[in-house]
Amino acid sequence: MKFNMKKHRKYLLAGGLLLATATPSFALFGIGDIVFDPTSYASLVSQLTTLESQYNMLKNNVTHFSLKQQWQTTLTQLKNVNVANMFGETAGMSIALNTNSPSGSITAWKTATVPVNSSTSTFLKGQTVGSSTQLSQLAMIEMADSVSPDCLTAVGQYRANRSQNQTANTTLLQNQFDGTSATNSEVQQLNLLNAAEAQKLSEMQSQGTMQTCLASQMTVANMQQRNAAAQDLNSAAMVQQQRAMNDTSAANEGHTWQTYIP
């Protein structure tokens, strides 16, 4: 009996230590092998909540708009230019303005403008650069002959490229405003955005070429206006000087009318 009591105490001590180190749990319905663990249940609920949030986020990402057409705009059309050509004076100009043809632009510009002939060149040889009205006019003509064909080519390129890009622009527009699930996944929409940015970059580069052309033409036009203003001032000073040096008084008059400029 004494031996059994000691053995029984050892079993009780071992059982108490086991209970002290066990995780919080308890048996269900009085059955020892079915155990409910509150810590594991809380972890599982947290994981399910996270999965639900991720699912809702993915669901929102693939949800598409069904009324995209409310944002749709219209692409402005450009018609081909048809320049009148009664006597051949604008031969090749229509081609230059509608196609990408640098050589055609040069030919059309030369045909439509007045050349500087050989006798004029002989006359200009005796002029001094920087103080010659005629040489400044020649400089303006030479600048115009340089930039104007390039501008013709830029306009022709823009018109030709706009026609060629029409199909790509229309297709992209249709996909962007498609209300079905065929083009509304997140990856597809990002691809459409990238395509739109690429088309925007091409348009900006084309617009940059056109703006360069406008700046060049404005430079030539400003040069013409500046030379005209300088010529007016020089003419006024010359007339005033001539009046002062040559007496144009009427008979029996004692002074010269120096403020009159014809």
Side-chain angles (χ1 to χ4, degrees), residues 24-239:
S25 61
F26 54 88
L28 296 177
F29 309 112
I31 304 175
D33 57 347
I34 302 177
V35 178
F36 174 76
D37 188 349
T39 304
S40 299
Y41 176 76
S43 177
L44 180 61
V45 171
S46 176
Q47 293 177 9
L48 290 176
T49 302
T50 302
L51 290 175
E52 183 180 8
S53 299
Q54 294 176 350
Y55 169 77
N56 291 331
M57 181 181 67
L58 292 175
K59 182 180 178 181
N60 292 332
N61 288 342
V62 300
T63 300
H64 58 272
F65 294 98
S66 59
L67 297 175
K68 288 185 176 182
Q69 282 70 21
Q70 61 184 327
W71 304 321
Q72 190 168 3
T73 57
T74 302
L75 181 65
T76 302
Q77 301 293 330
L78 287 177
K79 70 178 184 66
N80 288 338
V81 176
N82 186 16
V83 182
N85 186 24
M86 185 174 296
F87 303 106
E89 70 281 359
T90 59
M93 192 64 72
S94 296
I95 296 176
L97 290 172
N98 293 313
T99 63
N100 181 7
S101 178
S103 60
S105 298
I106 295 175
T107 301
W109 177 258
K110 287 183 177 180
T111 302
T113 55
V114 177
V116 177
N117 56 41
S118 58
S119 60
T120 303
S121 299
T122 302
F123 166 72
L124 294 175
K125 287 181 180 180
Q127 303 292 326
T128 302
V129 176
S131 60
S132 171
T133 301
Q134 289 74 24
L135 287 181
S136 67
Q137 293 176 342
L138 178 62
M140 181 185 64
I141 293 172
E142 291 171 337
M143 288 179 60
D145 287 343
S146 176
V147 301
S148 297
D150 285 344
C151 290
L152 289 175
T153 302
V155 173
Q157 286 176 340
Y158 187 79
R159 291 181 181 276
N161 292 341
R162 196 167 179 84
S163 299
Q164 294 175 1
N165 295 336
Q166 183 65 39
T167 301
N169 290 332
T170 302
T171 302
L172 178 63
L173 194 65
Q174 291 175 349
N175 289 333
Q176 285 178 326
F177 292 98
D178 179 25
T180 67
S181 59
T183 59
N184 276 277
S185 70
E186 183 177 11
V187 174
Q188 288 170 331
Q189 288 294 306
L190 291 176
N191 287 335
L192 291 176
L193 289 175
N194 289 335
E197 289 298 320
Q199 288 190 0
K200 183 190 299 183
L201 178 61
S202 297
E203 178 65 21
M204 291 175 63
Q205 291 173 339
S206 298
Q207 292 290 339
T209 302
M210 299 295 292
Q211 292 173 6
T212 301
C213 169
L214 291 175
S216 301
Q217 295 284 19
M218 288 179 63
T219 300
V220 176
N222 289 339
M223 186 177 184
Q224 182 179 15
Q225 293 180 355
R226 185 265 177 201
N227 287 342
Q231 182 63 30
D232 287 341
L233 292 176
N234 292 337
S235 297
M238 182 187 66
V239 171

